[in-house]
Amino acid sequence: MAETASTNADMKARALNGADEGLWLRAEKQSGGIGRLGRKWESPEGNLYCSTMVMCRTEDPQPSTLSFVAALAVHKAINAHVPHDDIRLKWPNDILVSGHKICGILLERSGEAVVVGIGVNIAVAPQVEGRIVTSLHKEGAEAGLTAASFLETLAQYFADAVKEWRQSGLPAILTAWQERAHPLGTRLSTSDEKGNRLEGEYAGLSDQGALRLRKADGALIEIHAGDVDVG
């Protein structure tokens, strides 16, 4: 579609109306895109704005862990198009190239479906307050790469990752995620539920995907939600 308020909103409506798993929606522009914690997602033309959905099954891992599935798929798709050694995953669902944000992922529930919204900066790196962002073209992607052609790559990697998530379970997904994340011991900072600043070293993920942070006194704590800064 040329323009919509939000591909996630459109996909949620389709999910409630019985759409099949595997459907993708893509818009050239969004007028009401949102990111995590309700933040506005800038949507200039030339970038990828898309949504898909996964139907929840009783034997599946926790639906929230689809964020790791989506991040892995995006990482692999970027790696297929950008000759770059510094493509990293950052908890909970960021993808960084050269240390700069290039993607946003948002999961929303719609009945028995989880809608997965993905935005990737293909041609344009919009200005975002408090963040340095980049785009695939800026990082060396082929000049002919478009949002539509990138989605073809992404959709296949996403389908493969969902299949592994179901067949091999969450541990396989978390292992693959950690192989593409910042190294153990990387200095991280975040905030707890009361807004208190927490600093420490990255100590991997729990078996359910929580971030493990080792504080200066050696205490190991788990972070289940929030924004994380590197360094």
Side-chain angles (χ1 to χ4, degrees):
M1 66 188 79
E3 183 173 349
T4 189
S6 162
T7 60
N8 257 30
D10 295 341
M11 184 60 79
K12 285 192 290 183
R14 282 167 171 76
L16 291 175
N17 287 325
D20 293 330
E21 179 174 302
L23 174 67
W24 285 85
L25 296 178
R26 183 181 69 84
E28 298 289 344
K29 295 177 65 178
Q30 292 185 130
S31 59
I34 58 172
R36 290 183 64 250
L37 305 178
R39 298 188 183 99
K40 182 178 180 182
W41 183 262
E42 298 296 336
S43 306
E45 193 168 354
N47 292 341
L48 176 64
Y49 315 108
C50 65
S51 298
T52 189
M53 68 174 187
V54 177
M55 297 302 298
C56 298
R57 304 175 184 176
T58 56
E59 66 272 20
D60 285 343
Q62 284 292 324
S64 61
T65 61
L66 282 166
S67 62
F68 295 102
V69 171
L72 274 173
V74 174
H75 184 285
K76 291 179 179 180
I78 291 174
N79 196 52
H81 289 284
V82 176
H84 208 298
D85 294 330
D86 190 10
I87 306 171
R88 296 285 182 184
L89 297 176
K90 180 170 77 72
W91 192 91
N93 52 19
D94 275 343
I95 293 88
L96 307 179
V97 181
S98 304
H100 302 152
K101 185 178 176 71
I102 201 167
C103 171
I105 296 170
L106 178 65
L107 270 58
E108 296 184 282
R109 192 68 181 257
S110 181
E112 294 303 309
V114 175
V115 172
V116 182
I118 299 173
V120 181
N121 296 338
I122 307 293
V124 182
Q127 292 187 343
V128 178
E129 184 178 355
R131 289 179 179 267
I132 301 176
V133 302
T134 190
S135 70
L136 294 185
H137 284 179
K138 186 176 180 180
E139 298 296 336
E142 61 269 28
L145 180 65
T146 65
S149 59
F150 184 84
L151 178 54
E152 291 181 5
T153 306
L154 173 60
Q156 185 58 61
Y157 280 124
F158 185 84
D160 292 344
V162 170
K163 183 178 180 180
E164 182 173 8
W165 177 73
R166 283 181 166 145
Q167 293 185 350
S168 301
L170 183 58
I173 293 296
L174 295 182
T175 295
W177 189 96
Q178 290 177 94
E179 289 172 352
R180 294 163 175 81
H182 29 67
L184 294 173
T186 298
R187 296 290 302 176
L188 302 177
S189 59
T190 186
S191 299
D192 63 17
E193 295 83 354
K194 298 180 180 179
N196 299 315
R197 199 67 176 165
L198 300 173
E199 297 183 351
E201 294 182 348
Y202 171 59
L205 303 178
S206 74
D207 57 5
Q208 292 300 312
L211 175 70
R212 286 177 168 166
L213 193 69
R214 190 174 302 280
K215 299 172 66 176
D217 62 3
L220 188 64
I221 60 174
E222 291 188 358
I223 308 297
H224 296 272
D227 289 329
V228 171
D229 294 320
V230 179

